[in-house]
Amino acid sequence: MSRTESLVALEREIGVLLRRVRRVIAARAAMVHPDLQPAAYLMLAYLVEMGPQRSSDIAERFEIDKGAVSRQVQHVVDLALVERTPDPADRRASILAVTADARRRFEEVTQQRRRILDERLGDWDDAELAVFADQMVRYNASLEPGQPVASAQPDGGVRG
Amino acid sequence: MSRTESLVALEREIGVLLRRVRRVIAARAAMVHPDLQPAAYLMLAYLVEMGPQRSSDIAERFEIDKGAVSRQVQHVVDLALVERTPDPADRRASILAVTADARRRFEEVTQQRRRILDERLGDWDDAELAVFADQMVRYNASLEPGQPVASAQPDGGVRG
DNA sequence: GAATATAGTTGCTCACGGCAACCTTCTAGG
DNA sequence: CCTAGAAGGTTGCCGTGAGCAACTATATTC
């Protein structure tokens, strides 16, 4: 594949993935809690993995409106999946933390789901999967708007 | 990275990508036509690349409801970006084709946009990009619901 | 201490997809 | 043929989701 062909294919497949993934996420969200909204599931997953965060951190990370985050936070708080504690260092802010119960439920679902995913990706060997995951991280990083384009970077070595 | 770590990272990054990509797609859509809706842009891109298709093909490919496709088709037809011609072989169906004007505009935008993407991915060499694009294709294919999971395949060539 | 920036909330709007009902046409079985 | 059911599309209704803007409260800066 030429570079151009790669770029074309990449964009096409991201488009496909984008639309398909909705269903999958919705199914997972329901497994964690019957009333959990799909988008909020993603937020929850982020909190589970990254530990307590502020709303603004999430908005920044996902590059979505803080209003949207605010509503989703309210949603998961209502479901008792997340707790808001005031930030002692800044009284405007709150720290969001996944409740123990939610974490437990989340991990259960994750394990079960990971078995399925692992099966579906059965013909990928570990190294391939590692490369792919790494490239996804790198791809996201490359597209970060704050990030200067690669050619403008002094040292370019974003990641190892 | 262990296999599990790879899977975790993969899912997290897909979640991030999923939410970020909205903005990007919206910006591109606007470049093609100021009134073009983001989702319809993806459909248009698919038609440009794959040639004339039926609505049902698109619904199947993207795994979304045919009603949603119907509305998006109507949208791009209204914008004169796509033409509907009755399928001679099946009078229920229509063939969707990108208009010459739309194709021209689309290609212009694509080239311009690809330059930007190419810059942003400047620190990826061609081979890496090819691998990544290939893996995206493969990943999507792996997750196709019609697709049997690897472990259920008769051939059994599953995984180490 | 006033101007300004930042964290979050809320109202409004539109984009988007799922579901179901419906129409039309095509296909199978009697 | 004719009838039953499947398939291609359209439409109405609804829930989810994000952007924008206005607003409150607290922090920061000069």
Side-chain angles (χ1 to χ4, degrees):
Chain A
M1 267 202 290
S2 74
R3 187 174 185 86
T4 298
E5 282 170 339
S6 296
L7 290 172
V8 170
L10 196 52
E11 303 209 312
R12 183 192 62 228
E13 294 302 319
I14 287 177
V16 171
L17 182 64
L18 179 67
R19 303 182 91 147
R20 288 190 181 174
V21 146
R22 266 179 236 274
R23 308 174 85 87
V24 180
I25 302 293
R28 284 183 204 172
M31 285 196 282
V32 174
H33 188 293
D35 298 327
L36 180 59
Q37 294 170 351
Y41 166 87
L42 292 178
M43 202 183 67
L44 193 64
Y46 184 68
L47 280 178
V48 167
E49 195 185 348
M50 305 301 280
Q53 304 277 324
R54 313 207 300 189
S55 281
S56 48
D57 294 329
I58 295 173
E60 198 178 339
R61 165 72 170 168
F62 288 131
E63 291 170 20
I64 57 175
D65 191 76
K66 58 183 181 170
V69 174
S70 175
R71 274 178 262 262
Q72 283 168 25
V73 168
Q74 190 57 55
H75 175 60
V76 289
V77 167
D78 288 345
L79 296 178
L81 299 173
V82 164
E83 270 172 354
R84 245 190 302 231
T85 57
D87 184 342
D90 184 341
R91 281 187 301 167
R92 293 169 303 179
S94 295
I95 306 292
L96 307 173
V98 178
T99 63
D101 182 56
R103 180 178 296 273
R104 191 179 43 68
R105 264 198 278 180
F106 188 86
E107 298 289 3
E108 274 172 26
V109 169
T110 297
Q111 279 189 10
Q112 175 188 348
R113 195 177 39 59
R114 192 155 300 140
R115 272 200 302 278
I116 297 169
L117 183 60
D118 197 36
E119 264 182 23
R120 285 217 171 255
L121 299 183
D123 57 339
W124 295 55
D125 68 35
D126 294 8
E128 284 173 323
L129 213 50
V131 168
F132 187 43
D134 192 58
Q135 283 176 329
M136 279 296 303
V137 174
R138 194 174 158 202
Y139 185 78
N140 277 336
S142 294
L143 298 189
E144 240 147 61
Q147 223 66 351
V149 297
S151 60
Q153 274 181 349
D155 101 335
V158 183
R159 18 166 311 99
Chain B
M1 268 203 289
S2 75
R3 187 174 184 85
T4 297
E5 282 170 339
S6 296
L7 288 172
V8 171
L10 197 51
E11 303 210 312
R12 182 193 63 229
E13 293 302 318
I14 287 177
V16 170
L17 182 64
L18 180 67
R19 302 181 90 147
R20 286 190 182 174
V21 145
R22 267 178 233 273
R23 305 177 87 89
V24 180
I25 302 294
R28 286 184 204 171
M31 283 196 282
V32 174
H33 188 294
D35 298 327
L36 180 59
Q37 294 170 351
Y41 165 86
L42 292 178
M43 201 182 69
L44 194 64
Y46 184 69
L47 280 178
V48 167
E49 194 184 351
M50 307 300 280
Q53 304 277 324
R54 312 207 300 190
S55 280
S56 49
D57 294 330
I58 296 173
E60 197 177 340
R61 165 71 172 169
F62 287 132
E63 289 170 22
I64 56 176
D65 191 76
K66 57 183 181 171
V69 174
S70 175
R71 274 178 263 260
Q72 283 168 24
V73 168
Q74 190 57 55
H75 175 59
V76 289
V77 167
D78 288 346
L79 296 179
L81 299 173
V82 164
E83 269 173 353
R84 244 189 302 231
T85 58
D87 184 342
D90 185 341
R91 282 186 300 167
R92 292 170 302 179
S94 295
I95 306 291
L96 307 172
V98 179
T99 62
D101 182 56
R103 180 177 296 273
R104 190 180 44 69
R105 263 198 281 179
F106 189 87
E107 299 289 4
E108 273 173 24
V109 169
T110 297
Q111 281 191 8
Q112 176 188 347
R113 196 177 38 59
R114 192 155 299 139
R115 271 200 303 279
I116 297 169
L117 181 60
D118 197 37
E119 261 184 24
R120 286 215 170 257
L121 299 183
D123 58 337
W124 295 54
D125 68 38
D126 294 7
E128 285 173 323
L129 213 50
V131 168
F132 187 43
D134 191 58
Q135 283 176 328
M136 280 297 303
V137 173
R138 194 172 158 203
Y139 185 78
N140 277 336
S142 295
L143 298 189
E144 238 147 62
Q147 223 64 351
V149 297
S151 63
Q153 280 175 350
D155 158 276
V158 201
R159 18 170 284 105

